[in-house]
Amino acid sequence: MRASAHGPVHAPKHAPKHAPIVARRLVPLLALALNACLLGPDYVRPNVEVPATYRFASGEMLEVADTVWWEQFQEPVLDQLIATALERNRDVKIAAARIDEFAAQVQITRSAFFPQVGAGFTASRQRVSQIGGLPLQPGIDPVYNAFSPTLSATLNLDVFGRTRRLTEAARADLAATEEGRRETILTLVAAVAGSYINLRSLDRQLEIAQATAASRADSVRVFTLRFSHGVVSQMELAQSQSEYEAAQATIPVIEMQIGQQEDALSVLLAQNPGPIPRGRELRAIALPAVPAGVPSDLLSRRPDLLAAEQNFIAENARIGAARALYFPDLSVSGMIGSASAVFSSLLTGPAYIWSVGGAIAQPLFTGGNIAGQVHLAEAREQEALYTYLDTVQKALQQVEDALIALQKSQGELVAQGRQVDALAVYARLARKRYDAGYTSYIEVLDAERSLFNAQLTHTQTESAVLTYYVSLYKAMGGGWVTHAERMTMPAPASGASATEAAQTQAGAPALAGAASR
């Protein structure tokens, strides 16, 4: 009994007599654990030198980095492809499973904070010898029963912070894994957009090759008639046939690339290789705005940078966990139960048993094991630090590369457009001059060959400009990843179980709408 401001406070009438004793012994030890020291360095974010502005920043940059940027292409088919990929892509699902894995590891690690409680019950029936070294007294039955229910608890006291440091590291690993999933989403969206743009570019190149081959086929027919009437020489006919076959040879190559690109895009959509639906022509796809931002924003917007920082935090915490191995490992344990030869008397006072104790384990000589673990943790912490700093610099490089590529490729595209127009005039006039007898057919071949190559190059540059927009949005990261992340977790249909929804998704057919080229 103890006094209080409100009068005496009595222990519960039915509390076992040993309870106050156990409490008086455990409370000081628990208080010691709660006020224990914490070894190892506390995390401090590294001083990262980043420029105030981007070197190749443009005055046309707008604050759109946090928007669903792919919708700026104004291509509904691309929007649907990205939505399908976010919902079904296997890499995203693997990344999500890894989050569950590391969340479970956090739970496992921090469980050491709490008492490990177990219960047991033993029952036996046995007979002892009546003529052994200690003979039984007359009248005592040599056969007897033994019953013993017990409740035990063990608590490791985290006096030197090993468990806390390991939990800190596990939480940082979990945060890095979550950022890894966001990085997977960022990469997936960029890959789908880039693949679709490249696919439409190949479609356009195929159209150019087919149109050129058809035009040259007409020329071959004309030259064949002229040769049969002695108007042109066999050399001119052979030249015409050669250019036709050259154009014809590019068609299967482009068709092969289209098929391979469709297969690659199908895998991103988590479906078997097959045709991909098409929407707008390449030149009809709208150009998005150039996203604005400052280099320091990358530290909080790019998942790979956030993941690298969390890896550094984890390795920093593991230094403290390794250093704690030098110090004693303290634990307390307790047991309460009863033991009786008669089952009906197990809950009576005389049958009660209890014990409480503590243990200290202090390493004395480990042959350099602990020192090696400390050095290993410190080396990994340095590795994680320099990996983080290197990741920051590479992120800045990727943004700068995308900005300069976007600026210069747009100028290149304009110049190539003027070149195509000029070569079209050149080819038309060369054909007229040849028909009028003012020049040889070689001039016509040169003009048409140059026009064909220029048209293909111009189409490839159109694709490159759009792809550089994709690369820039990927390099800058942004809040759009959060929106895309929500798209990866569709809610099950009303009335359907989660299992049914998963089965429906796993067996979902390919995207509706057969591919049209």
Side-chain angles (χ1 to χ4, degrees), residues 412-427:
E412 179 186 13
L413 182 63
V414 172
Q416 288 178 352
R418 292 194 297 262
Q419 181 189 28
V420 169
D421 293 340
L423 287 173
V425 173
Y426 173 37

Side-chain angles (χ1 to χ4, degrees), residues 310-385:
Q310 291 298 327
N311 288 333
F312 177 49
I313 293 173
E315 298 303 337
N316 183 78
R318 290 190 176 98
I319 294 177
R323 290 179 181 174
L325 295 173
Y326 281 117
F327 298 89
D329 184 17
L330 294 88
S331 65
V332 295
S333 61
M335 184 273 292
I336 182 174
S338 63
S340 174
V342 181
F343 188 83
S344 60
S345 63
L346 279 177
L347 301 181
T348 61
Y352 283 138
I353 59 174
W354 63 267
S355 68
V356 63
I360 298 178
Q362 170 62 56
L364 297 179
F365 177 74
T366 62
N369 180 283
I370 297 178
Q373 292 192 52
V374 172
H375 293 158
L376 177 64
E378 291 174 342
R380 287 178 173 173
E381 185 259 358
Q382 287 296 297
E383 179 184 353
L385 169 62

Side-chain angles (χ1 to χ4, degrees), residues 462-475:
E462 282 183 320
S463 172
V465 170
L466 293 171
T467 303
Y468 289 139
Y469 276 105
V470 174
S471 300
L472 182 57
Y473 274 97
K474 178 186 176 184

Side-chain angles (χ1 to χ4, degrees), residues 282-296:
L282 181 66
R283 63 183 59 187
I285 296 177
L287 295 178
V290 180
V294 294
S296 59

